[in-house]
Amino acid sequence: MLEQVVLFTILMGFLISVLLSPIFIPFLRRLKFGQSIRDEGPKSHQKKSGTPTMGGVMIMLSIIITTIVMTNKFSKPGIETFLLLFVTIGYGLLGFLDDMIKVVLKRNLGLTSKQKLIGQIIVAVIFYFVLNQFEFSTEIRLPGTELSFDLGWLYPVLILFMLVGGSNAVNLTDGLDGLLSGSAAIAFGAFAVLAWNNSQYDIAIFSVAVVGSVLGFLVFNAHPAKVFMGDTGSLALGGAIVAVAILTKLEILLIVIGGVFVIETLSVIIQVISFKMTGKRVFKMSPLHHHYELNGWSEWKVVVTFWAMGLLFAILGIIIEVWL
């Protein structure tokens, strides 16, 4: 029974994304919702200019429909399902607004950093406020051990930091065709396994719904991409995976399972600090995937390598939590 639920959830998410794409992509083209490519990015990316963006709307619709249908079929949606969908929709709408500004007003940077940060903080505060009404534990546990620490009033600060930082980290990873779609499928798959192992079935169903939805999107997002997810998709996925880590009480393990996102973010931080302090760049370009591109790697080679890294991180996270 449980295996059937997982299989049907993945299939449903996959099929909804795949079936929406032939309808949605031409619609985006007619609206001229094409991606603007930054001049300072790799020159090889200029040919991608005009590729339909905001495909994250398809991912969000697929996740929402699949989660609600399959959760109702298996059990009844609980507070975890509500919170996961709230964060996904909240950050997705923020990304949607950012994408709209880019494609409609032709302002390549979209929302200002301050505007985006305020939006991310608002969603995070509401998430914690609702969570707090159910006396959610403020303890965090060291993965693979029984050692835990009660953060008390620092826990909401951690949630705020994780949601804002995590959504931005995932957003940074969305720079090559299929890179984020594949990486997200792997990471959410790992959390689905861990949630199921902890009998947190609503969270597992949501995670599996995400896996199916992004794999369906990947059919059209793999190189050469016919559509990009935009900030609509990347911010939604970033907020969602952080929310999953918090609700499963695997906050620290997110660093391992989301290792690709962490490395991408660290590469940007290192690049900025190095340039400001020494005037020199450590990488040819950040985030890290662009560094390998400029070193002569094909886009597909970079993407597959990062997927492989993500898979290793996911397996390591499962091993730490389940078998250590």
Side-chain angles (χ1 to χ4, degrees):
M1 175 63 180
L2 299 182
E3 293 79 5
Q4 290 178 341
V5 171
V6 170
L7 179 60
F8 285 139
T9 303
I10 291 178
L11 285 175
M12 185 175 183
F14 181 86
L15 288 174
I16 291 175
S17 286
V18 168
L19 292 174
L20 280 175
S21 297
I23 301 170
F24 204 74
I25 294 173
F27 178 68
L28 290 174
R29 284 204 185 97
R30 284 197 297 271
L31 293 178
K32 297 183 179 179
F33 281 5
Q35 178 72 43
S36 297
I37 305 298
R38 293 182 303 156
D39 292 333
E40 60 270 25
K43 300 302 179 185
S44 61
H45 285 208
Q46 293 303 316
K47 61 186 178 183
K48 299 182 181 184
S49 182
T51 301
T53 187
M54 296 173 67
V57 172
M58 293 183 287
I59 298 174
M60 286 178 59
L61 286 173
S62 180
I63 292 171
I64 294 166
I65 295 170
T66 304
T67 299
I68 292 174
V69 170
M70 294 308 297
T71 305
N72 272 298
K73 188 173 182 63
F74 183 70
S75 58
K76 282 191 175 181
I79 186 60
E80 292 92 350
T81 301
F82 168 78
L83 285 171
L84 289 169
L85 291 177
F86 168 74
V87 171
T88 303
I89 295 169
Y91 277 90
L93 288 176
L94 185 63
F96 180 82
L97 181 59
D98 191 43
D99 287 333
M100 284 292 290
I101 292 173
K102 291 176 184 175
V103 298
V104 175
L105 301 182
K106 305 301 179 183
R107 201 173 87 191
N108 192 41
L109 295 179
L111 292 171
T112 65
S113 298
K114 185 177 181 180
Q115 290 169 335
K116 192 179 291 186
L117 179 62
I118 291 172
Q120 290 171 314
I121 290 174
I122 290 173
V123 175
V125 169
I126 296 173
F127 174 82
Y128 176 72
F129 176 78
V130 175
L131 201 61
N132 193 48
Q133 304 309 303
F134 293 85
E135 299 181 357
F136 195 73
S137 172
T138 56
E139 289 187 348
I140 59 170
R141 181 174 57 83
L142 195 63
T145 73
E146 297 300 323
L147 190 61
S148 62
F149 308 90
D150 192 343
L151 295 183
W153 64 271
L154 283 175
Y155 191 72
V157 177
L158 175 66
I159 286 181
L160 182 64
F161 176 79
M162 286 181 66
L163 281 169
V164 174
S167 58
N168 286 326
V170 172
N171 181 244
L172 287 172
T173 308
D174 186 30
L176 299 178
D177 297 354
L179 176 57
L180 179 53
S181 301
S183 300
I186 293 166
F188 275 99
F191 275 113
V193 170
L194 296 175
W196 210 276
N197 186 64
N198 292 335
S199 300
Q200 294 176 291
Y201 300 122
D202 285 2
I203 301 175
I205 289 172
F206 172 83
S207 299
V208 173
V210 176
V211 173
S213 300
V214 293
L215 287 179
F217 181 76
L218 183 59
V219 172
F220 300 88
N221 182 234
H223 185 70
K226 296 178 179 63
V227 64
F228 298 138
M229 69 172 68
D231 284 3
T232 306
S234 59
L235 286 180
L237 291 174
I241 197 166
V242 172
V244 167
I246 291 170
L247 292 173
T248 52
K249 299 304 296 176
L250 298 172
E251 300 94 338
I252 297 177
L253 202 63
L254 177 61
I255 299 172
V256 179
I257 294 176
V260 168
F261 311 133
V262 173
I263 290 172
E264 292 272 54
T265 304
L266 286 176
S267 71
V268 174
I269 294 172
I270 292 169
Q271 186 87 322
V272 171
I273 292 175
S274 175
F275 188 73
K276 286 188 174 181
M277 294 184 67
T278 68
K280 297 180 180 179
R281 293 179 172 84
V282 176
F283 308 105
K284 290 186 176 181
M285 185 178 289
S286 64
L288 189 61
H289 53 260
H290 289 319
H291 172 77
Y292 289 106
E293 267 195 296
L294 295 181
N295 271 325
W297 287 30
S298 69
E299 183 167 349
W300 185 241
K301 181 178 179 181
V302 177
V303 169
V304 172
T305 301
F306 274 63
W307 285 353
M309 287 170 51
L311 182 59
L312 290 175
F313 282 129
I315 293 171
L316 178 59
I318 293 172
I319 290 173
I320 291 172
E321 181 62 20
V322 176
W323 285 296
L324 288 188

